[in-house]
Amino acid sequence: MALTPPLPGKLRIVSSLLRIDAAAARQALYGVAATRRIEARALAGMAPFTLMARAAASVARLALALAPHAQRVLVFAGPGNNGGDGIEAATCLRRFGKDASVLLVGGAARLPADAARALANAQQAGVVIGPASAHGGPGTDTDTDCPALVIDALLGIGASRPPAGEIAAAIERIATLAGRGAIVLAVDLPSGFDADHGQPFGAACVSAQHTLSLLTVKPGLFTGSGRDRAGTVWLDDLGVDSRAEPAEAWLVGRGELGRGAVARLHGQHKGSFGDVAVVGGSPGMAGAAWLAARAAHAAGAGRVFVDLLEADPASAVFDPERPELMLRPGWWQGPASAVEQSTVVCGCGGGDAVRATLPRLIALAPRLVLDADALNAIGADTALQATLAARARRERATLLTPHPLEAARLLGTSTQQVQADRLGAAGELAGRYRAVVVLKGSGSVIAAPGEPPRINATGNASLATAGTGDVLAGWIGGRWRPGESALEVATLAVAEHGAAAEPERHGALRAADLVERLYLQSRRA
């Protein structure tokens, strides 16, 4: 979605604002170091202040679009070039008739050259500028006339540690104004947020309704707590071509839906679409296996077998809602040829019983999706870990679907450490086990050995309910055909899984309902 509201003639620039969201179709992502290299190359080829003027005009353009009737706009400006962007944006807004004022952290003497020029421009234009540390100034807690829009230009990508002192106090004041109804627009990043890892550096961190990412889109904005902190993300490349820098990650979303879809031929039959076997469902957890099986069948598998571990055949004959699913107790112990011809989804509700199935399934299954208790069993057994890593040498493909706690067990670390670097954790898992990894959570990360990771932009918190992970594992299994890339299958399946939960509604989405949404969505694609 492009956004180009008009500005006065002298503020027009060539670039346009793009909304970056779940509609993404392989959007390149760049971390802080790569963004700085892109910025340095751009600055070397243009006159001083050019890039800051473009950034400021873009901030002003978005501010006008977000709050067209706002009269008061308050900019919190930091001591670097991010602050300069905000100060110059205040000047642009002032010229457009807005009551734009600035609270400056650190004083004018600390500003770099371009930001100092922005400050001089603002003073000449009559923008009210005060120290952020002062009380009773514009936009302070004692001011009864709350600004309609607050612009966070404190830190941007300049942060590398938890904010403290005046910066932390300014972040607290932004939160106060947001609580009183002000819209918060962050310039480049919410201040105090880690662009590379998707988490705040510390307790002080801005939560914005909108974030304008400049030059590049940063990976942290879409994983971990990025979506909660950044709100709606916009991009302005400022007319700078970033393609000389290889993408460090890719954002994927609804642009994946329908990718590679092939119509079924009249001459095909159920055997043309492969067998999926779901191995799991120990006592009390049979529902997890049935959910995975339903999803695999809805995804297009020709036949789906369900091997309930330690199940009483007399009490679990079939799924009355989906009688086409075939109960096969002990399937994993059957003929090797059956395992060697199937996509196997193992672990959904498997409990301790799943441990016994793993050596054989790891040895024989050509396409193996490991989830839940299968991952926990592997995390506790170094022999299984070595066996799993060796599968790739025998041209057997593996796909792991851990949530953060399961990933921590596989890596021998903590959930907090996994969440602190989700891309790094997914990449380490992929390399260690020579597998494609889907690290679930907000902004699920899809990683494969030797490939830039992918972050999924679809989905929402309605998926945070029991069984939706089992549905994802089964859906992946049903989508995975012989000869297909595990990375591409995982990317498509995860995007579809999230998209089926959209648009976001209050409350949880029940897993069985999710299967039906996925099925209907796939029929429309």
Side-chain angles (χ1 to χ4, degrees):
M1 173 183 177
L3 187 66
T4 54
L7 287 174
K10 66 191 320 181
L11 301 179
R12 294 173 191 263
I13 58 174
V14 174
S15 56
S16 61
L17 296 164
L18 296 175
R19 179 169 171 163
I20 309 297
D21 57 16
R26 309 237 172 166
Q27 169 69 48
L29 304 175
Y30 298 91
V32 170
T35 299
R36 289 196 185 283
R37 290 192 295 270
I38 293 166
E39 181 182 36
R41 285 195 292 268
L43 289 170
M46 60 180 61
F49 199 67
T50 301
L51 205 60
M52 183 168 287
R54 292 181 184 179
S58 186
V59 172
R61 174 184 289 130
L62 183 54
L64 290 171
L66 297 177
H69 303 297
Q71 286 305 305
R72 291 201 57 218
V73 179
L74 179 61
V75 177
F76 284 78
N81 282 326
N82 189 254
D85 294 341
I87 295 168
E88 184 70 11
T91 301
C92 295
L93 291 168
R94 177 81 174 181
R95 290 171 180 161
F96 203 66
K98 300 297 182 182
D99 179 8
S101 55
V102 175
L103 291 177
L104 179 62
V105 173
R110 296 177 56 186
L111 293 173
D114 278 359
R117 178 172 171 179
L119 180 63
N121 291 344
Q123 291 168 332
Q124 185 176 8
V127 175
V128 177
I129 300 168
S133 57
H135 293 279
T140 65
D141 296 342
T142 59
D143 186 358
T144 57
D145 185 14
C146 180
L149 179 70
V150 169
I151 296 176
D152 164 28
L154 289 168
L155 294 172
I157 62 172
S160 59
R161 60 182 183 275
E166 286 186 77
I167 294 287
I171 290 172
E172 184 177 349
R173 289 168 70 183
I174 290 173
T176 298
L177 293 171
R180 293 168 57 189
I183 298 171
V184 178
L185 166 61
V187 179
D188 215 10
L189 287 172
S191 291
F193 188 75
D194 187 338
D196 292 338
H197 301 120
Q199 299 294 349
F201 285 110
C205 183
V206 167
S207 292
Q209 281 87 15
H210 297 268
T211 296
L212 174 55
S213 197
L214 299 172
L215 293 174
T216 66
V217 183
K218 288 73 177 176
L221 294 172
F222 287 93
T223 195
S225 63
R227 290 169 71 179
D228 290 327
R229 292 288 181 174
T232 301
V233 176
W234 304 83
L235 167 67
D236 196 326
D237 63 13
L238 306 182
V240 174
D241 188 351
S242 62
R243 288 175 294 180
E245 191 74 28
E248 297 181 330
W250 295 92
L251 188 70
V252 296
R254 289 195 300 271
E256 301 298 314
L257 274 61
R259 185 186 291 270
V262 178
R264 293 192 171 205
L265 303 178
H266 290 286
Q268 290 179 307
H269 51 82
K270 64 187 177 185
S272 305
F273 305 103
D275 293 343
V276 173
V278 176
V279 180
S282 62
M285 294 294 291
W290 287 117
L291 282 169
R294 287 187 184 187
H297 191 255
R303 297 185 300 180
V304 179
F305 305 120
V306 184
D307 185 353
L308 296 182
L309 302 175
E310 298 182 351
D312 178 0
S315 63
V317 178
F318 68 102
D319 178 352
E321 292 293 324
R322 288 293 163 203
E324 57 265 43
L325 305 175
M326 292 172 273
L327 183 66
R328 291 290 189 273
W331 178 92
W332 70 272
Q333 296 172 300
S337 59
V339 181
E340 291 172 335
Q341 294 172 8
S342 301
T343 300
V344 178
V345 178
C346 179
C348 301
D352 293 336
V354 79
R355 166 67 182 81
T357 73
L358 289 170
R360 192 167 197 261
L361 295 177
I362 290 173
L364 296 177
R367 296 167 302 283
L368 181 60
V369 181
L370 294 172
D371 185 46
D373 289 319
L375 298 174
N376 292 331
I378 292 165
D381 189 324
T382 55
L384 280 176
Q385 292 172 21
T387 303
L388 181 62
R391 272 175 56 84
R393 292 197 296 270
R394 294 181 289 113
E395 297 185 351
R396 284 171 169 36
T398 310
L399 210 156
L400 312 180
T401 58
H403 58 53
L405 177 57
E406 292 159 353
R409 289 167 177 159
L410 288 167
L411 291 171
T413 185
S414 68
T415 304
Q416 291 74 20
Q417 288 173 299
V418 168
Q419 289 293 81
D421 185 4
R422 286 173 53 79
L423 279 81
E428 185 178 349
L429 280 171
R432 181 179 299 188
Y433 294 104
R434 309 304 300 168
V436 171
V437 173
V438 175
L439 178 56
K440 295 181 287 193
S442 179
S444 291
V445 179
I446 305 131
E451 295 285 343
R454 300 171 181 182
I455 298 175
N456 178 55
T458 66
N460 51 63
S462 68
L463 292 170
T465 184
T468 57
D470 303 308
V471 170
L472 175 60
W475 188 260
I476 290 171
R479 280 292 197 210
W480 201 359
R481 306 281 191 269
E484 291 186 340
S485 159
L487 176 59
E488 296 303 326
V489 168
T491 301
L492 170 63
V494 171
E496 290 175 323
H497 183 262
E502 296 171 347
E504 185 170 7
R505 296 180 175 89
H506 293 296
L509 174 59
R510 295 176 297 188
D513 295 337
L514 175 61
V515 175
E516 293 309 301
R517 286 199 188 185
L518 280 162
Y519 174 72
L520 293 173
Q521 176 180 265
S522 68
R523 298 282 288 174
R524 292 192 297 268

